[in-house]
């Protein structure tokens, strides 16, 4: 299936918004998503949720960026969520998804909240039920064994 940008009718343009952390060390999150998606010939717009290593929570900047993209007429063929830094951020991302998602927009969710049988540090026992709200909106979910 060939996807088209609404802004450039007739010209193929695939665009994904990657909504997840930037890990300062390691091979994960935005540092992996951006080059992989770009190598596939797809434009990858990034919306960082946190900068890990310093654990800087970027929740307050998410909706202003999404509103600006919406005002500019940006269309996303897919929205891809990964690590969300807090309970509050889950609520903000749910609002952001409603704002940016259109009828033909695929939602791809990596719950990114646990590994080796336990939740990541900083997440309380209620976090999985909050993340389940994001997962329930997805067409594709890719949990690891612990998250599943």
């Amino acid at each position: 299936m060939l996807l088209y940008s609404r802004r450039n009718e007739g010209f193929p343009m695939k665009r994904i918004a990657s909504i997840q952390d930037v890990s300062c060390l390691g091979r994960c999150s935005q540092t992996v998503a951006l080059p992989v998606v770009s190598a596939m010939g797809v434009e990858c717009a990034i919306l960082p949720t946190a900068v890990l290593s310093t654990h800087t929570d970027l929740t307050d900047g998410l909706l202003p960026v999404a509103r600006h993209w919406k005002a500019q007429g940006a269309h996303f063929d897919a929205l891809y969520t990964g690590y969300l830094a807090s309970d509050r951020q889950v609520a903000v991302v749910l609002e952001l998804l409603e704002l940016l998602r259109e009828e033909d927009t695929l939602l791809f969710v990596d719950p990114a909240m646990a590994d080796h049988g336990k939740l990541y540090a900083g997440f309380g026992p209620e976090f999985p039920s909050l993340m389940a709200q994001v997962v329930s909106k997805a067409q594709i979910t890719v949990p690891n064994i612990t998250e599943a």
Side-chain angles (χ1 to χ4, degrees):
M1 180 172 87
L2 192 57
L3 302 172
Y4 294 91
S5 166
R6 293 182 196 277
R7 291 176 47 175
N8 300 309
E9 281 302 319
F11 297 96
M13 175 189 281
K14 296 177 185 177
R15 180 184 289 154
I16 293 174
S18 178
I19 306 160
Q20 59 184 308
D21 67 291
V22 173
S23 291
C24 296
L25 292 172
R27 294 184 190 146
C28 58
S29 67
Q30 297 285 21
T31 59
V32 172
L34 179 59
V36 169
V37 171
S38 295
M40 293 169 37
V42 176
E43 178 184 346
C44 186
I46 66 165
L47 188 50
T49 58
V51 176
L52 299 182
S53 290
T54 60
H55 288 76
T56 303
D57 185 333
L58 302 174
T59 301
D60 293 337
L62 296 175
L63 281 173
V65 170
R67 289 183 185 122
H68 177 74
W69 285 348
K70 187 74 171 180
Q72 296 298 310
H75 171 73
F76 296 97
D77 300 299
L79 302 173
Y80 164 31
T81 69
Y83 179 85
L84 304 180
S86 66
D87 298 0
R88 181 172 157 256
Q89 193 169 83
V90 170
V92 168
V93 167
L94 285 167
E95 186 176 345
L96 180 151
L97 295 175
E98 289 299 316
L99 179 68
L100 294 179
R101 193 172 189 185
E102 297 179 33
E103 188 176 311
D104 62 342
T105 303
L106 175 75
L107 179 56
F108 181 97
V109 174
D110 178 351
M113 64 178 166
D115 213 350
H116 305 291
K118 58 185 174 180
L119 289 171
Y120 293 152
F123 292 150
E126 70 288 342
F127 195 79
S129 65
L130 296 172
M131 185 56 73
Q133 295 175 44
V134 180
V135 168
S136 73
K137 298 188 177 305
Q139 285 96 354
I140 300 172
T141 306
V142 291
N144 64 30
I145 290 174
T146 299
E147 294 157 348

